[in-house]
Amino acid sequence: MTITIIHGQQHKGSTYHITEILKERLTEGSETVVHEYFMPKDTPEYCVGCFRCILKGEENCYQSEKALKILDSMLMSDVIIFDSPTYCIEMTGQLKTLFDHYGYMWMPHRPRKEMFSKIGVAISTAAGSGARNVTKSMARQMFWWGVPRIYRLSFNVNASCWDDVPEKKRERIIKRTQETADSIKKKIGRAKPGFKTRLMFNVMRKIQQSNTWNMTDRDYWEKNGWLKKDRPWKKQGRQS
Ligand SMILES: Cc1cc2nc3c(=O)[nH]c(=O)nc-3n(C[C@H](O)[C@H](O)[C@H](O)COP(=O)(O)O)c2cc1C
């Protein structure tokens, strides 16, 4: 199994510790490769809005080196985990900027076919409220990449660091996180796009069929056979 973990922060607080619990349980008893990134040290700076990735291709971003390295890890992985503490009811600013770098691979542009079989996980903690909103937001990003199965773990920890999380609460968090890991393990290799993903993909296909403003996107869809009958979740070998 291969896992990519992207921490929306650099410090090791409650959010990081919950991700660690998930990672430990996921990797227990199986050979696992883990690619781990911390923000902002391992990730590109904010998007400057030049549109080069969308209109000319992602390799034209002036920060493409870091963005593409992380993308390669994600494409190789069975499970992609994002975590972020809740800041003002949102994900951290740096994590949002990373998602902006992958806007070109939303379904309306150039989704990667590898994404349509992956499992995504969104983790957030808040002191009192907002963590649900954060995991919803992170899950939305992955949905638009085509990720078919997304788990969300949001916790109100009543604390500013892991050591201060009340004992009973901590036990509940650990239990739920481990149960989630067990569920993920059963789903690896079996995740398939649901109705909403398939519907959205088909809507985007229609739009691409008459797309005359962005030929980079249109050529990509054509090359993949998606303007006609092929779909990214089809088994390899049926596309030719
Ligand atoms: C800038 C900032 C904004 C925050 N905003 C919220 C918030 O909107 N809601 C909330 O309940 N807690 C908020 N908190 C508290 C953290 O979300 C909470 O303590 C979280 O568990 C910290 O995670 P960490 O230990 O991984 O850093 C905020 C903390 C900071 C530093």
Side-chain angles (χ1 to χ4, degrees):
M1 183 192 349
T2 306
I3 302 176
T4 293
I5 302 175
I6 298 163
H7 300 283
Q9 72 291 341
Q10 219 156 274
H11 62 275
K12 298 183 173 174
S14 302
T15 319
Y16 169 85
H17 277 92
I18 293 167
T19 303
E20 276 290 291
I21 292 162
L22 187 84
K23 178 174 94 178
E24 271 170 30
R25 186 72 162 220
L26 276 177
T27 56
E28 238 172 44
S30 67
E31 255 187 46
T32 313
V33 177
V34 181
H35 303 281
E36 203 158 357
Y37 301 94
F38 289 85
M39 299 208 64
K41 78 177 173 65
D42 300 324
T43 52
E45 287 172 18
Y46 58 88
C47 165
V48 296
C50 66
F51 270 84
R52 282 188 206 158
C53 61
I54 293 176
L55 296 175
K56 294 186 175 167
E58 57 272 29
E59 61 287 354
N60 293 288
C61 170
Y62 79 98
Q63 304 183 68
S64 65
E65 203 181 312
K66 280 186 170 177
L68 293 180
K69 183 177 174 218
I70 298 169
L71 175 62
D72 281 347
S73 298
M74 291 197 281
L75 294 177
M76 280 188 278
S77 295
D78 304 286
V79 183
I80 303 170
I81 302 171
F82 284 96
D83 72 16
S84 169
T86 299
Y87 286 173
C88 308
I89 321 192
E90 303 288 351
M91 68 181 88
T92 59
Q94 56 269 26
L95 181 55
K96 175 59 171 61
T97 65
L98 182 66
F99 280 126
D100 294 343
H101 276 288
Y102 299 122
Y104 70 86
M105 63 174 195
W106 273 40
M107 278 191 265
H109 296 288
R110 300 189 303 279
R112 298 297 299 252
K113 69 169 177 284
E114 295 90 333
M115 288 293 175
F116 289 80
S117 58
K118 301 206 181 291
I119 293 176
V121 188
I123 300 172
S124 184
T125 68
S129 71
R132 253 171 186 276
N133 191 56
V134 172
T135 56
K136 191 174 172 190
S137 205
M138 290 148 88
R140 187 188 304 127
Q141 296 290 330
M142 288 188 268
F143 169 82
W144 282 103
W145 296 352
V147 175
R149 184 72 170 94
I150 302 163
Y151 289 81
R152 289 167 53 188
L153 282 169
S154 56
F155 299 106
N156 293 319
V157 294
N158 302 141
S160 59
C161 67
W162 184 238
D163 286 342
D164 291 347
V165 178
E167 191 60 36
K168 280 240 155 357
K169 197 171 261 294
R170 204 191 298 194
E171 281 167 16
R172 280 201 300 272
I173 291 172
I174 293 171
K175 187 167 180 279
R176 189 162 152 231
T177 305
Q178 290 178 335
E179 284 169 358
T180 303
D182 294 343
S183 168
I184 292 171
K185 275 173 148 175
K186 286 184 199 144
K187 278 267 180 292
I188 289 172
R190 294 180 186 178
K192 289 197 178 72
F195 174 75
K196 196 172 153 201
T197 303
R198 287 186 276 126
L199 175 73
M200 285 305 158
F201 184 86
N202 286 331
V203 171
M204 297 311 149
R205 182 173 62 92
K206 282 261 170 255
I207 293 171
Q208 286 299 336
Q209 282 169 344
S210 53
N211 173 6
T212 51
W213 79 278
N214 184 343
M215 295 321 283
T216 306
D217 283 359
R218 195 192 147 102
D219 290 349
Y220 179 85
W221 279 68
E222 185 142 39
K223 194 183 81 202
N224 279 290
W226 298 342
L227 292 179
K228 293 187 178 149
K229 281 192 171 161
D230 285 338
R231 300 289 179 273
W233 51 87
K234 269 188 171 180
K235 290 246 179 304
Q236 296 282 332
R238 290 180 73 188
Q239 293 185 355
S240 63

